[in-house]
């Protein structure tokens, strides 16, 4: 599969989340729309998704949209998901991301191979909560294993789950991946092993796997499995006044 079908699928997904079908502009374009119910960002915020050289921006009202259009005019689409570039142009009170968005086709998927045995557990299995506690609040929040709608694909060591992956069903038959490894088990390929099983399950069901991540290590795992980074997502809380930004570490749910 070429990149284009992946790109069309990804754009269709984010247009639906923006509540505005057909709103992604052609390559090189930026479209700022008013969408109070947009799921690109928290309520009242500005959401930005750049994919394949164009960007879709949602604002909660026309006044905010006008401010955004004026402030970001002239910036190329890729700069709209660059935190530093946006802060230079637009006063913001809070920021989520940016996070890379990557997708994989059945033809591009590179399954992991290795000695670890992968077991499938129900998505709500208590062993996953134990893993989240071991990983810490920040990593657990980014992985969001508690929100998966698939089964959980896990690796155990000494009876304890040390790595797990699964996916949450998103609109337009998208499988949003979640992957988490215990701190002491990282760097040994277990994230790739469990994620590979989850991706294989999603592809077998005819779903489009989506990998959203900020940490370089997570992005490397996705690349190893054949995911292609097509763009990024950034959410902005408009500042009532003043240019100072308050960066936030948590990704959107």
């Amino acid at each position: 599969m070429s990149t284009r079908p992946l790109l069309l699928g990804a754009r269709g997904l984010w247009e639906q989340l923006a509540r505005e079908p057909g709103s992604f502009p052609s390559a090189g374009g930026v479209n700022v729309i008013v969408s109070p119910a947009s799921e690109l960002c928290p309520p009242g915020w500005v959401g930005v998704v750049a994919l394949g050289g164009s960007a879709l921006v949602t604002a909660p009202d026309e006044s905010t949209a006008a401010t955004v259009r004026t402030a970001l005019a002239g910036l190329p689409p890729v700069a709209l998901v660059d935190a530093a570039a946006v802060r230079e142009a637009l006063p913001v009170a809070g920021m989520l991301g940016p996070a890379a968005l990557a997708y994989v086709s059945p033809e591009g998927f590179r399954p992991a191979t290795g000695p670890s045995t992968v077991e499938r557990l129900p998505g709500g299995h208590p062993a996953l909560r134990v893993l989240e506690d071991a990983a810490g609040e920040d990593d657990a929040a980014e992985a969001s294993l508690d929100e998966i709608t698939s089964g959980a694909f896990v690796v155990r060591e000494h009876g304890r789950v040390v790595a797990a992956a699964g996916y949450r069903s998103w609109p337009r038959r998208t499988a949003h991946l979640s992957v988490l490894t215990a701190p002491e088990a990282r760097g040994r390929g277990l994230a790739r092993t469990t994620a590979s099983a989850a991706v294989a399950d999603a592809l077998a069901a005819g779903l489009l796997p989506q990998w959203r991540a900020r940490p370089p290590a997570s992005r490397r795992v996705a690349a190893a499995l054949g995911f292609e980074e097509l763009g990024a997502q950034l959410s902005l809380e408009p500042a009532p006044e003043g240019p100072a930004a308050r960066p936030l570490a948590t990704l959107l749910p």
Side-chain angles (χ1 to χ4, degrees):
M1 181 186 248
S2 69
T3 295
R4 181 166 174 76
L6 286 179
L7 181 59
L8 291 176
R11 285 180 172 174
L13 165 69
W14 289 98
E15 287 175 344
Q16 182 164 335
L17 293 173
R19 305 298 178 92
E20 191 68 31
S23 52
F24 242 104
S26 57
V30 175
N31 190 16
V32 181
I33 64 172
V34 177
S35 180
S38 169
E39 295 182 70
L40 271 61
C41 54
W45 286 40
V46 172
V48 185
V49 171
L51 288 168
S54 63
L56 175 61
V57 183
T58 62
D61 51 62
E62 185 54 55
S63 174
T64 302
T67 298
V68 170
R69 291 188 189 105
T70 300
L72 302 184
L75 288 180
V78 67
L80 301 189
V81 286
D82 181 316
V86 171
R87 285 194 191 102
E88 283 290 322
L90 181 69
V92 295
M95 186 175 291
L96 296 171
L101 296 172
Y103 303 85
V104 70
S105 67
E107 297 80 7
F109 177 44
R110 296 193 292 270
T113 58
S116 300
T117 300
V118 177
E119 175 186 352
R120 181 169 183 153
L121 298 177
H125 197 282
L128 302 180
R129 308 291 82 81
V130 175
L131 173 60
E132 289 175 319
D133 289 342
E137 184 176 350
D138 289 345
D139 286 350
E142 182 147 342
S144 299
L145 274 177
D146 59 324
E147 297 180 0
I148 63 173
T149 55
S150 71
F153 300 86
V154 309
V155 170
R156 292 183 187 267
E157 290 184 348
H158 308 294
R160 186 169 68 89
V161 171
V162 294
Y167 57 85
R168 184 163 78 254
S169 294
W170 273 31
R172 294 183 64 90
R173 298 190 58 76
T174 302
H176 184 73
L177 271 293
S178 294
V179 186
L180 185 63
T181 305
E184 73 278 6
R186 293 173 185 171
R188 293 162 37 205
L190 298 183
R192 184 180 176 188
T193 297
T194 55
S196 179
V199 172
D201 186 79
L203 290 172
L207 306 178
L208 173 65
Q210 173 180 266
W211 194 295
R212 180 177 62 186
R214 292 173 303 158
S218 179
R219 294 167 68 179
R220 287 194 295 269
V221 172
L225 293 173
F227 279 79
E228 299 180 58
E229 286 194 1
L230 302 183
Q233 177 191 9
L234 181 66
S235 296
L236 310 166
E237 181 185 16
E241 58 182 291
R246 173 172 50 85
L248 301 179
T250 309
L251 280 177
L252 294 175

